[in-house]
Amino acid sequence: MAARMACLRKLNADGRTEILELKLGVNVLGRDAESHIPVNHASVSARHCELILTAAGVLVHDLDSTNGTFVDNVPVRQAVLQPGQNLRLGSVEFVVEDVSIKIAIPAIERPVPAPPVVLPDGVMLCQRHPHARVTHRCPHCHAVLCDHCVTRLRRRGGKTLKLCKLCSHPVTSLHSPSSRAKSFWSRLRLAATHKLPFLHGGNNK
């Protein structure tokens, strides 16, 4: 996760500029080398001021500095900073570049499973468990699933709820071609055991 925080642009006496990025929370500015943002200038106190970065913006708070803290040349004890404003510590000037917190979440590439293997009898093998047969399908994410890919929730007084482990939506059961064929031949044998009734009232020759 990459993040770009609020920042100041420091105006140096030699004409160069320097971008200073603030961290979340309290940022102490001052001549002290251990300050979060050291400002090495005689007009700046050891702990001159602090900039507090929150989701709501940047708050500047003067720490009883000798030469004062100024926003757009107005002395302040405490103020909320806005982009484009001038912040001055003693004789050192900064420009408020940004006061927001921008967080960029990179896209996560999910591994794409290999296509399912189809056996000669028409049965599919699971993409995630190659030795298991496909028994269910998810109507939501369109994945084909084996028993290992299905979450079962037993509801009190009701049927077992079967959910897809990939998207947590209900799945539907699939019947393999062999089981369908077996069911067909079973019905055919059952029908063969029943004799056809004689037709009454017709002309039998």
Side-chain angles (χ1 to χ4, degrees), residues 58-137:
V58 180
L59 175 70
V60 58
H61 177 225
D62 184 76
L63 297 176
D64 296 324
S65 62
T66 302
N67 295 312
T69 299
F70 301 81
V71 175
D72 290 340
N73 292 319
V74 177
V76 297
R77 293 287 299 171
Q78 186 169 292
V80 177
L81 297 178
Q82 300 295 334
Q85 286 185 318
N86 180 277
L87 173 67
R88 179 161 58 86
L89 281 57
S91 302
V92 181
E93 295 187 9
F94 303 84
V95 173
V96 181
E97 288 287 302
D98 194 1
V99 297
S100 60
I101 303 173
K102 297 181 176 65
I103 299 177
I105 302 176
I108 300 175
E109 295 185 0
R110 297 182 180 272
V112 178
V117 176
V118 181
L119 299 179
D121 60 358
V123 172
M124 288 188 295
L125 296 181
C126 180
Q127 299 161 284
R128 285 154 292 276
H129 304 92
H131 301 291
R133 295 192 172 198
V134 168
T135 56
H136 296 79
R137 179 181 180 275

Side-chain angles (χ1 to χ4, degrees), residues 118-125 132-137 145 172-184 187:
V118 181
L119 299 179
D121 60 358
V123 172
M124 288 188 295
L125 296 181
R133 295 192 172 198
V134 168
T135 56
H136 296 79
R137 179 181 180 275
L145 314 164
T172 57
S173 178
L174 296 179
H175 299 287
S176 64
S178 58
S179 64
R180 288 199 300 267
K182 182 178 179 181
S183 177
F184 169 77
R187 292 195 301 270

Side-chain angles (χ1 to χ4, degrees), residues 9-173:
R9 179 162 49 92
K10 182 183 177 185
L11 307 177
N12 295 314
D14 59 4
R16 294 183 300 107
T17 61
E18 182 181 357
I19 299 298
L20 304 172
E21 190 174 89
L22 305 178
K23 68 178 183 65
L24 275 173
V26 177
N27 301 261
V28 176
L29 285 73
R31 200 175 64 252
D32 191 336
E34 295 185 359
S35 299
H36 296 107
I37 301 179
V39 183
N40 188 17
H41 194 274
S43 65
V44 176
S45 300
R47 290 173 57 85
H48 196 101
C49 71
E50 60 186 13
L51 301 181
I52 305 171
L53 175 59
T54 69
V58 180
L59 175 70
V60 58
H61 177 225
D62 184 76
L63 297 176
D64 296 324
S65 62
T66 302
N67 295 312
T69 299
F70 301 81
V71 175
D72 290 340
N73 292 319
V74 177
V76 297
R77 293 287 299 171
Q78 186 169 292
V80 177
L81 297 178
Q82 300 295 334
Q85 286 185 318
N86 180 277
L87 173 67
R88 179 161 58 86
L89 281 57
S91 302
V92 181
E93 295 187 9
F94 303 84
V95 173
V96 181
E97 288 287 302
D98 194 1
V99 297
S100 60
I101 303 173
K102 297 181 176 65
I103 299 177
I105 302 176
I108 300 175
E109 295 185 0
R110 297 182 180 272
V112 178
V117 176
V118 181
L119 299 179
D121 60 358
V123 172
M124 288 188 295
L125 296 181
C126 180
Q127 299 161 284
R128 285 154 292 276
H129 304 92
H131 301 291
R133 295 192 172 198
V134 168
T135 56
H136 296 79
R137 179 181 180 275
C138 178
H140 183 261
C141 68
H142 307 294
V144 288
L145 314 164
C146 69
D147 285 339
H148 302 292
C149 298
V150 176
T151 300
R152 288 170 170 79
L153 297 178
R154 296 187 181 277
R155 295 177 294 181
R156 180 177 298 179
K159 296 182 179 179
T160 299
L161 184 63
K162 298 180 180 180
L163 303 177
C164 174
K165 285 187 177 180
L166 304 180
C167 68
S168 299
H169 281 74
V171 298
T172 57
S173 178

